[in-house]
Amino acid sequence: MGGSNKNLIFVYGTLKRNHRNHFLLEDLISTNDAVYIGQRTTWLQYPLVTGLYGIPYLINKSGSGQKIRGELYSVSKRGLVRLDELEGIKVNHYERLPIEVIEEDEEEESNGVVLAEAYFAHCGFGERLWEKKGKCGMCEFGENDGVLYVSPKDRPMFSSVLDEIETFVSSSNVDY
């Protein structure tokens, strides 16, 4: 993978090892379009919640929530296109934004901070989803959370996750 060609991507949800969409990263690794770098934690705190169909969302509101544990990958331009597609960048489901991550044991020193990118809930609904979930976030999308994830092929026919999120975050009943 050429040096200029690599993008550091921090994954925190279904793309992690032992989760439902990791097969995509495994594909990319097999074609040398991705390399696993290691476990990382966000330098700042962020809200991490699950929405409809058990889909995890990192919300771009640093200072709220907790420091998030995830995995760091180096991904080629070609690999990034595949990931952007999965994450629904074009349809405003997620947006890929900068994030600072550290190795677990470097809590105290800021010199270990690395700039990567992560897929955040799109700003069109992210903050409202955080409020809707009672501002209660996780520090990690774990195996038990992963079990609740529903793959696109298993969702109701003609369902549009974005329309359903909009309905969910705009409804008045609070649902924790």
Side-chain angles (χ1 to χ4, degrees):
M1 219 161 46
S4 61
N5 227 4
K6 87 182 177 194
N7 303 271
L8 292 176
I9 300 291
F10 174 74
V11 304
Y12 57 85
T14 62
L15 283 165
K16 292 194 306 185
R17 294 182 302 178
N18 301 322
H19 284 273
R20 297 282 284 285
N21 287 320
H22 186 68
F23 69 88
L24 177 55
L25 275 169
E26 282 181 347
D27 277 0
L28 295 177
I29 288 167
S30 72
T31 56
N32 208 24
D33 284 303
V35 177
Y36 173 69
I37 295 175
Q39 299 277 16
R40 293 292 185 273
T41 302
T42 59
W43 173 237
L44 301 173
Q45 295 169 296
Y46 289 94
L48 172 60
V49 297
T50 52
L52 303 166
Y53 303 116
I55 300 170
Y57 294 101
L58 193 61
I59 294 166
N60 189 23
K61 195 173 164 55
S62 61
S64 298
Q66 307 183 48
K67 293 190 174 189
I68 308 301
R69 286 197 291 272
E71 299 168 359
L72 190 64
Y73 290 83
S74 175
V75 181
S76 72
K77 289 270 187 290
R78 196 170 53 181
L80 209 52
V81 169
R82 297 269 309 275
L83 292 178
D84 282 356
E85 202 175 295
L86 173 81
E87 303 289 3
I89 295 292
K90 285 198 177 89
V91 296
N92 296 341
H93 190 194
Y94 287 86
E95 44 192 347
R96 179 161 42 84
L97 300 168
I99 192 166
E100 292 175 316
V101 297
I102 52 168
E103 290 190 46
E104 296 269 336
D105 50 5
E106 289 184 358
E107 289 289 307
E108 305 312 313
E109 308 163 42
S110 56
N111 63 0
V113 175
V114 171
L115 187 63
E117 288 183 303
Y119 291 97
F120 288 88
H122 191 271
C123 60
F125 66 86
E127 215 163 307
R128 289 184 299 153
L129 180 61
W130 173 232
E131 283 160 16
K132 191 73 181 170
K133 298 290 281 192
K135 299 190 177 180
C136 177
M138 318 184 272
C139 67
E140 185 168 30
F141 183 74
E143 306 266 329
N144 295 342
D145 303 299
V147 171
L148 302 173
Y149 174 73
V150 180
S151 298
K153 64 178 187 348
D154 298 322
R155 293 173 199 159
M157 279 266 288
F158 309 120
S159 79
S160 154
V161 170
L162 277 177
D163 292 347
E164 293 173 55
I165 289 171
E166 186 52 48
T167 305
F168 177 66
V169 296
S170 11
S171 63
S172 51
N173 58 330
V174 177
D175 176 308
Y176 293 106

